[in-house]
Amino acid sequence: MRYSIIVPVYNAGAFLRECLDSVLAQTSGDWECICVDDGSEDSSKAVLREYADKDSRFRVIEQPHQGVGIARNAGMDKAKGDYLVFLDADDMLLPDALEGLKDAAADIVSFLPLKRSGLFDSLAGNMIAWNAIYRREAVVGNRFPNLVNCEDLVFATNAYARAKNIVAGVRPWYVHRSVEGSAYNSHSWRRVKDSWRSIWLMRRAYSPALSGFTMRCMLEKKLLIHFLLHVLAEVPRAVFNQRRSMVNV
């Protein structure tokens, strides 16, 4: 099997069908889709069972709510494909996503270039789980930490630091949707704490493995940008949300 698509699911009923339909619509059929229900309390469980009954390539794992990182780890443990594709339950794949990746032979294939110019591009970052596919054998032992955010940055940094070959800048295949109220858009002191912890985990992940000066400099820059965007910038947002909660009580 060529691709294992891993979908962590937690109360994603509003968008889950669109996500799974985008998998069914793939022009390449050489895939399995491992959906990890992370203790959902909405219609997600029923939707997952429906798709698993309809197509045996969908496999469902159920676990108590533990977070997106632990859910992705559970999916990786059951994956059989040559490559791992991480798809969030509120996002979608383009119809020819997998077909366009059929000639991939690197440890990592990303649709964003490693080096980008321009203020927005340099700040946006590109070492995240959903914008690349990973050769499964190249990430054995690499795990997502149990963080409320930035857990994919830790996984991706570890993978990039250890990859023997990387192909970057291929055409996009993923539709990312920003959903109000999602973990990504929820600001709290827990996010500040976990963002800070992720920096330490990323540094620990790549320091022993990385020898190339160019890649090391690039990762150090990413850590600095990550600190500015996900630690310092989160503090005023967390303060604002805390005060708003106190007012609404």
Side-chain angles (χ1 to χ4, degrees), residues 31-242:
W31 54 265
E32 64 173 354
C33 185
I34 304 173
C35 303
V36 183
D37 178 33
D38 188 38
S40 295
E41 299 172 342
D42 66 350
S43 62
S44 296
K45 290 181 186 293
V47 173
L48 292 177
R49 293 192 188 103
E50 174 189 330
Y51 279 76
D53 290 341
K54 181 166 50 178
D55 193 315
S56 61
R57 291 174 295 179
F58 287 101
R59 298 162 58 195
V60 180
I61 299 172
E62 294 187 3
Q63 65 179 32
H65 182 51
Q66 300 178 67
V68 62
I70 304 303
R72 288 197 184 112
N73 290 338
M76 284 197 295
D77 289 341
K78 299 295 184 181
K80 299 177 181 178
D82 296 328
Y83 281 88
L84 303 177
V85 182
F86 295 104
L87 174 62
D88 288 346
D90 52 0
D91 294 342
M92 292 167 286
L93 296 176
L94 295 176
D96 59 347
L98 302 184
E99 184 70 29
L101 295 168
K102 65 181 180 181
D103 296 325
D107 287 345
I108 301 174
V109 181
S110 170
F111 64 72
L112 292 180
L114 285 179
K115 297 180 182 180
R116 295 186 288 174
S117 60
L119 178 61
F120 176 79
D121 284 343
S122 64
L123 291 178
N126 57 358
M127 292 182 185
I128 47 184
W130 54 260
N131 70 359
I133 64 171
Y134 301 85
R135 191 168 64 85
R136 183 165 59 89
E137 291 184 357
V139 294
V140 170
N142 190 358
R143 311 295 282 177
F144 288 87
N146 186 18
L147 304 176
V148 296
N149 65 309
C150 300
E151 80 294 328
D152 57 339
L153 297 179
V154 178
F155 175 88
T157 299
N158 202 332
Y160 275 87
R162 288 161 173 75
K164 294 181 180 178
N165 41 51
I166 301 169
V167 174
V170 301
R171 65 176 182 78
W173 64 77
Y174 194 99
V175 179
H176 176 63
R177 176 162 39 191
S178 182
V179 178
E180 185 177 354
S182 67
Y184 180 81
N185 290 314
S186 301
H187 306 290
S188 65
W189 289 110
R190 170 74 188 277
R191 278 180 63 92
V192 176
K193 177 183 176 182
D194 279 6
S195 295
W196 177 255
R197 185 179 170 215
S198 70
I199 292 177
W200 178 77
L201 289 172
M202 283 188 280
R203 195 73 161 72
R204 189 181 69 172
Y206 77 73
S207 289
L210 204 58
S211 57
F213 177 76
T214 301
M215 181 65 83
R216 180 175 290 277
C217 289
M218 185 179 69
L219 285 172
E220 292 287 1
K221 186 188 78 169
K222 292 294 181 186
L223 287 185
L224 175 60
I225 294 172
H226 177 67
F227 173 75
L228 295 175
L229 287 182
H230 295 284
V231 179
L232 291 186
E234 281 294 328
V235 172
R237 293 169 179 167
V239 171
F240 174 78
N241 279 357
Q242 184 180 47

